[in-house]
Amino acid sequence: MYTRRTLVSLFAGVWIGALLVADWNPIAATALANDWLVEVVLSPFNAKFLLLILFMGAGAAFIYRSGGVLALERWVADHVNTARDSQLLTWALGVFLFFDSYTSTIVTGNATRDLARRNETSTEMHSYVLDSTTSPVTTFGPISNWIGFQVSMIVVGFEAIDATAGDYGVTPFELFIRSIPWNVYCFMAFFMVGLIAFTQRFYGPMLNAEWRSRAEGKPLRDDATPLSDVSSDVGEPSEANPRLANFFLPLVALIVVGIVSLWWLGGGADPGVSLAESFEETDVALGLLYGAFAFMVTGFAGAVGFRTMDVEEASETMVDGFETMVIAAAIIVLAWGIGHAAEQVGTADYVVDLLVSGGVPAGVLPILIFLAAMLVSFTTGTSWGTMSILTPLAIPLGLELGGIELLPVLLGVLFGGAIWGDHCSPISDTTVMSSIFAGADHIDHVNTQVPFALTAAGVTLGVLGLYAAGVRQITLLFPLAVALTVVAVFALNRIDARRKGLPEVMPTAAEIDAADAVGDGTETKGGAGVEGSYALVSPVAAGALVVVVAYLIFLAGFFALGGGA
């Protein structure tokens, strides 16, 4: 029901824009709104993108239904022995599946849900790890359908002033790449998940939830109402010959074909074209489409080739995968429609004139854009819709107040603010899906995630405050953001744990039981006086670190090749 509200809100935005253009004639406005939606769908870039997300859904369905996820779960089960292990595994898997937040949530949630419950992780923590890993990671890709959408919004932003990025000596893709380091909120939100899971230092309602799960054996709060599991959308995983190859091979195909296609479409095979130039000039939507097609076809071939399903079942799985992306496709089309409506109404010109005449300093603009993105995303429940509303405003504003060099900063904070709203809004589709696939009470998920999201947002605002004060080097601001995040997590954990009389480092259920058995509990809550003790490096922790570091190196390389260096 939450996604339906989002769709209604988005269409209402398109219709109101049409109503203004149609001189308040509701019938003409309805016809015009539909014409606009058809127009944005017929755009070559957008048409490729819609096919891309359908192929992504089908590929993810094959990974799950062919037994690839089941094989992965069995492979790692013997190494996951604590709540910390299950949380770090979920985090690493969410990073590994960086191509789409929807499919990553579905696959990661289903692969780790039973392991999380078996090791006393609360459903609140499990849904938080899912939500605050998948959305941030897919936002900066580097091979994801989010990239295609964000690049399309940058194109729309220049169209709002009847210009192109090429008029300013850049490409939309290059601007996106250069915005990645400035997406401070997403990096800190993603980093906090790993930090909290590794250190087992919780605060806010999550501290209570994790204590309840381990001390009382209750992954769900009494009287909680978990959202239904919709894994039936793609069927149950096949028990017939589940293979790890069915999990890894489609992902390898996606990455390799996607990167090679981006290189080739950018003229990388032509004489005199450097690797960096090819990525700057590439057709992003088509390159990602080729990768997604390879993802789907490899999944199909693996499912049939390893005899986990016959051709008829594989064909049904493909269609089921398409269906999982219907809501996403509807949101995207309506988000494009809102961007087009804002262009037709002239919203960008009005806001630019207002802020320029008000004398807003260029250094303060990133703070204003970040706060605006947070507000719009929270109230509408859609990060894509927020990007479609604000990107056509941010680009003209940035060009007017600070020039082309300000745009990467504005785009980074805009994308980050949009994700913050996703994390905190109870009507956000990705937040609802995280609750579903963790089996969590939805409101409990939102309530426990908000303090962590506010922490990352607070750090981001602190960094942007320094930017406004004249510190413009991201090489200084980014490490500072990481340090502030670590200090904030440890300080808030210590204050809240002492206030509640609970351990700062959450112990395992076995440690709590052992403390109760020997009477070591020093608090009224049994073993609450026992601090958790974990090996610095466990197999799962080491594996998670390898995955995350490899991903960051991959992202850094993509940043350099795409013109960000």
Side-chain angles (χ1 to χ4, degrees):
M1 64 179 176
Y2 298 97
T3 47
R4 293 194 186 103
R5 292 177 186 174
T6 299
L7 294 175
V8 170
S9 299
L10 287 171
F11 182 77
V14 177
W15 186 80
I16 289 172
L19 191 64
L20 294 173
V21 173
D23 296 325
W24 303 97
N25 184 325
I27 296 177
T30 302
L32 183 58
N34 281 281
D35 288 343
W36 284 350
L37 294 177
V38 171
E39 184 177 344
V40 297
V41 170
L42 291 178
S43 161
F45 185 102
N46 295 351
K48 296 170 193 172
F49 185 75
L50 288 174
L51 284 176
L52 156 71
I53 65 168
L54 292 177
F55 292 164
M56 287 286 198
F62 281 119
I63 285 178
Y64 178 71
R65 195 168 177 178
S66 68
V69 168
L70 189 62
L72 178 70
E73 181 180 349
R74 292 173 177 174
W75 182 48
V76 302
D78 291 340
H79 303 289
V80 179
N81 301 309
T82 65
R84 187 181 82 154
D85 285 344
S86 71
Q87 293 160 16
L88 289 172
L89 173 66
T90 305
W91 183 55
L93 191 55
V95 173
F96 188 72
L97 302 175
F98 54 77
F99 52 87
D100 174 64
S101 61
Y102 276 38
T103 52
S104 180
T105 300
I106 294 170
V107 172
T108 304
N110 278 307
T112 58
R113 184 175 55 239
D114 291 341
L115 289 172
R117 293 201 178 191
R118 192 183 308 152
N119 289 283
E120 296 88 24
T121 288
S122 66
T123 57
E124 292 94 330
M125 182 61 186
H126 190 211
S127 56
Y128 160 67
V129 176
L130 284 176
D131 203 357
S132 288
T133 300
T134 56
S135 291
V137 167
T138 52
T139 301
F140 33 74
I143 305 293
S144 79
N145 54 16
W146 283 68
I147 288 183
F149 179 76
Q150 290 167 125
V151 171
S152 75
M153 286 297 98
I154 294 172
V155 173
V156 170
F158 281 96
E159 290 175 348
I161 54 173
D162 296 323
T164 66
D167 296 337
Y168 294 86
V170 295
T171 66
F173 185 55
E174 181 184 351
L175 280 176
F176 166 75
I177 292 294
R178 288 168 58 187
S179 77
I180 290 176
W182 292 102
N183 193 343
V184 177
Y185 172 78
C186 284
F187 273 109
M188 294 309 105
F190 155 73
F191 171 64
M192 278 183 63
V193 174
L195 177 65
I196 291 170
F198 184 79
T199 63
Q200 291 294 286
R201 291 179 177 273
F202 306 96
Y203 56 90
M206 192 69 80
L207 177 62
N208 303 75
E210 282 296 285
W211 177 256
R212 179 202 68 229
S213 183
R214 302 186 201 190
E216 302 175 25
K218 296 178 180 179
L220 276 163
R221 171 181 56 83
D222 290 335
D223 301 324
T225 306
L227 293 182
S228 300
D229 184 355
V230 296
S231 60
S232 56
D233 286 351
V234 295
E236 294 300 321
S238 173
E239 292 278 356
N241 195 29
R243 296 288 189 92
L244 279 173
N246 280 338
F247 181 86
F248 287 109
L249 288 181
L251 295 173
V252 171
L254 168 67
I255 295 170
V256 172
V257 174
I259 291 178
V260 171
S261 297
L262 290 172
W263 168 78
W264 180 68
L265 291 168
D270 297 339
V273 178
S274 69
L275 192 60
E277 288 172 339
S278 67
F279 278 93
E280 291 173 15
E281 301 297 330
T282 191
D283 183 336
V284 178
L286 190 57
L288 295 178
L289 176 62
Y290 289 160
F293 183 75
F295 180 45
M296 177 183 68
V297 170
T298 306
F300 186 101
V304 174
F306 288 115
R307 298 182 180 179
T308 59
M309 57 180 73
D310 56 32
V311 174
E312 182 178 356
E313 290 173 321
S315 300
E316 291 174 355
T317 298
M318 185 185 300
V319 175
D320 291 339
F322 291 160
E323 290 177 354
T324 64
M325 288 297 172
V326 168
I327 292 294
I331 290 174
I332 289 167
V333 170
L334 290 171
W336 285 331
I338 280 188
H340 187 72
E343 178 186 345
Q344 297 300 312
V345 171
T347 308
D349 292 336
Y350 172 76
V351 174
V352 169
D353 291 341
L354 182 65
L355 291 181
V356 170
S357 63
V360 175
V364 175
L365 192 55
I367 296 177
L368 297 179
I369 293 295
F370 182 64
L371 292 174
M374 292 169 69
L375 176 63
V376 173
S377 184
F378 179 80
T379 54
T380 62
T382 167
S383 53
W384 282 342
T386 300
M387 295 172 193
S388 69
I389 292 169
L390 293 181
T391 308
L393 303 179
I395 287 178
L397 273 171
L399 291 173
E400 183 69 27
L401 295 177
I404 194 70
E405 292 304 318
L406 182 59
L407 292 194
V409 184
L410 296 184
L411 292 170
V413 300
L414 193 163
F415 297 153
I419 297 299
W420 180 90
D422 251 1
H423 286 162
C424 297
S425 175
I427 62 172
S428 164
D429 51 345
T430 53
T431 300
V432 171
M433 289 186 68
S434 296
S435 298
I436 290 172
F437 289 99
D441 180 285
H442 183 56
I443 299 304
D444 286 350
H445 165 46
V446 174
N447 288 341
T448 51
Q449 181 166 251
V450 164
F452 297 153
L454 287 173
T455 302
V459 169
T460 302
L461 286 170
V463 167
L464 295 181
L466 291 173
Y467 180 89
V471 182
R472 305 294 167 88
Q473 296 82 9
I474 191 60
T475 51
L476 296 177
L477 293 175
F478 195 89
L480 177 62
V482 173
L484 288 174
T485 300
V486 173
V487 171
V489 167
F490 274 70
L492 291 169
N493 160 257
R494 172 166 294 188
I495 292 169
D496 201 35
R498 291 184 176 182
R499 182 175 66 87
K500 295 174 179 176
L502 292 174
E504 293 180 25
V505 178
M506 187 61 63
T508 64
E511 288 175 324
I512 295 172
D513 291 342
D516 287 339
V518 298
D520 284 346
T522 60
E523 304 287 344
T524 58
K525 297 182 181 180
V530 177
E531 295 289 335
S533 176
Y534 298 88
L536 182 61
V537 179
S538 66
V540 174
L545 183 62
V546 169
V547 169
V548 172
V549 170
Y551 170 75
L552 293 176
I553 292 173
F554 183 35
L555 186 62
F558 207 75
F559 173 74
L561 292 175

